[in-house]
Amino acid sequence: MSKGSPPGPTPGFLVWRLANKWRVAVDRAVAPLGLTHAQYSLVASLHGMGRTGERPSQRRLADHTGLEALYVSKLARALESAGLIERTRDPRDPRAVQLALTERGEEVTRRAITVVQELHQRLLEPLGGPGSPRTRAFTDELTTLLDAPLAPSVPPDQST
């Protein structure tokens, strides 16, 4: 450890640990409903978008969730096989695939959202709960970090 290094874990390490803790907790919570955390992210997002009348493409859903488009496609096929979503060609763009929850998908998703909301409540209890000032400040800080571009740095040309 160098003199200028801060003691203890770095913020990046803590974010990574918290993200993993959350992913594992959600995986366990939604497993009885036949979902994984990644699948939950898709169906919950579809549920929210569907409530506003949107029928997103796989690309739009990938952008919304932060998942790779190829991974969203793979998850969508699995969810379609399970009877939870339907995939149809976009009439405005034949290359695009639109996604929507089936009736069974809506029911499973509503149950999963309830389970994850209870888990969310427990996660945020140490900060005073979901509506507390500390939670709002924490959410604002996370949003700031998520909105900041994070491109990998390019090493300087060694030949010059």
Side-chain angles (χ1 to χ4, degrees):
M1 182 193 257
S2 68
K3 262 185 159 178
S5 298
T10 65
F13 178 75
L14 293 173
V15 167
W16 178 73
R17 289 283 315 272
L18 182 58
N20 281 321
K21 177 180 180 177
W22 180 250
R23 183 192 48 77
V24 167
V26 173
D27 269 336
R28 289 179 180 155
V30 299
L33 298 170
L35 296 172
T36 65
H37 180 256
Q39 290 171 329
Y40 169 77
S41 295
L42 288 192
V43 296
S45 294
L46 280 173
H47 176 75
M49 294 168 139
R51 289 175 55 170
T52 65
E54 186 176 354
R55 188 178 174 118
S57 67
Q58 287 182 171
R59 163 58 57 199
R60 168 81 174 97
L61 194 58
D63 292 344
H64 177 79
T65 61
L67 297 171
E68 293 293 328
L70 191 58
Y71 189 45
V72 168
S73 177
K74 178 182 172 183
L75 291 170
R77 284 192 302 275
L79 291 165
E80 181 181 41
S81 293
L84 300 179
I85 70 168
E86 60 183 14
R87 300 166 67 232
T88 56
R89 290 280 168 208
D90 185 335
R92 297 163 299 186
D93 181 357
R95 297 168 299 161
V97 175
Q98 289 182 317
L99 304 173
L101 292 170
T102 62
E103 190 173 313
R104 180 169 174 266
E106 282 286 350
E107 187 239 317
V108 169
T109 300
R110 280 192 298 274
R111 290 172 49 206
I113 288 170
T114 298
V115 167
V116 173
Q117 284 176 339
E118 291 168 3
L119 186 60
H120 189 244
Q121 178 77 29
R122 288 198 308 269
L123 172 75
L124 295 174
E125 280 175 6
L127 298 179
S132 76
R134 284 183 70 196
T135 296
R136 284 193 300 277
F138 178 62
T139 301
D140 290 345
E141 296 293 349
L142 289 173
T143 300
T144 298
L145 293 174
L146 284 170
D147 289 345
L150 191 62
S153 60
V154 178
D157 186 357
Q158 302 286 329
S159 66
T160 56

